Amino acid sequence: MVGHQPFILGRDLVDDWRALDHAWVASTSAIYQLPATVTAIAADDAEDANWWPFGSLDQLEAEIAAAGRTLYAAHRPLLQRALDHLNR
């Protein structure tokens, strides 16, 4: 996001099935608060991209499931951290 600074929520090791004794997954979660809606656009890393507004993880998971997709379990704690930050 050019011209916008993220608020870093955390830097963590992520519970991921690809982790090994000598390799693991680390993630930085951040929030960009923008003055206007940004269109989600898929690029070379995704076939499709979408935004789903949500007020709870259960609501988000239900909306994602209704779209025929799955919320990755390792993303739940990262998304909850974002909700907690926004609801302060």
Side-chain angles (χ1 to χ4, degrees):
M1 305 267 83
V2 176
H4 298 280
Q5 295 299 313
F7 179 85
I8 304 299
L9 297 169
R11 292 180 172 94
D12 304 288
L13 295 178
V14 178
D15 183 20
D16 189 285
W17 62 271
R18 297 169 292 182
L20 304 170
D21 288 340
H22 303 288
W24 49 91
V25 177
S27 182
T28 298
S29 55
I31 288 181
Y32 286 87
Q33 291 188 281
L34 306 175
T37 302
V38 176
T39 302
I41 300 171
D44 63 349
D45 64 337
E47 291 180 18
D48 192 13
N50 295 288
W51 291 115
W52 280 289
F54 69 104
S56 75
L57 288 179
D58 291 338
Q59 175 200 359
L60 176 63
E61 192 156 31
E63 290 195 30
I64 290 173
R69 304 205 180 160
T70 304
L71 176 63
Y72 188 45
H75 291 162
R76 289 183 69 87
L78 304 174
L79 291 165
Q80 186 61 57
R81 185 181 290 162
L83 277 176
D84 293 346
H85 174 79
L86 293 171
N87 289 326
R88 283 189 218 175

